[in-house]
Amino acid sequence: QVQVVESGGGLVQAGGSLRLSCVASGSILSINAMGWYRQAPGKQRELVAVITSGGSTNYADSVKGRFTISRDNAKNTVYLQMNSLKPEDTAVYYCNAQGVFATGILPPLDYWGQGTQVTVSS
């Protein structure tokens, strides 16, 4: 069984920074891509940033230049460094592990964490 757990959310003032972490655990052989999504109240879940096992990244336009995604493949961990935070970044941030090959589980599956709240005050 694979579990995905986020940490690092909290309350910060506008202009501040936070760093989110996400660890995927279990009998994992490999993970294709890991990413961060967010969902604000009354809105749909949206992509924030994603990184492949090879290090290719993609960002939402709204966070380019402010957020940085990074990954430690050996630890099945992904990070999201968030700088210059704005009130509109307030949301629950979810970690997604995509294309996970795990022992005894075929085909590869996607897994989601429970989410971590990020609140940016003005």
Side-chain angles (χ1 to χ4, degrees), residues 2-76:
V2 175
Q3 290 186 323
V4 175
V5 178
E6 306 99 335
S7 61
L11 173 64
V12 64
Q13 288 188 331
S17 298
L18 281 174
R19 188 189 194 214
L20 305 183
S21 300
C22 168
V23 179
S25 62
S27 301
I28 296 172
L29 301 174
S30 66
I31 303 175
N32 180 30
M34 298 186 78
W36 291 95
Y37 293 72
R38 67 186 181 187
Q39 188 167 18
K43 295 187 177 182
Q44 289 188 330
R45 190 173 298 189
E46 62 176 2
L47 172 70
V48 176
V50 64
I51 184 168
T52 68
S53 58
S56 297
T57 59
N58 188 37
Y59 295 90
D61 288 342
S62 59
V63 307
K64 284 181 181 177
R66 300 188 298 123
F67 292 9
T68 302
I69 190 169
S70 60
R71 178 173 173 175
D72 185 333
N73 289 332
K75 296 180 179 180
N76 293 326

Side-chain angles (χ1 to χ4, degrees), residues 99-119:
V100 179
F101 281 91
T103 302
I105 300 176
L106 283 175
L109 299 175
D110 295 352
Y111 296 87
W112 290 91
Q114 291 299 308
T116 185
Q117 177 71 45
V118 172
T119 303

Side-chain angles (χ1 to χ4, degrees), residues 12-15 66 84-91 118-122:
V12 64
Q13 288 188 331
R66 300 188 298 123
S84 302
L85 282 161
K86 304 175 181 179
E88 50 263 44
D89 294 318
T90 295
V118 172
T119 303
V120 184
S121 63
S122 58

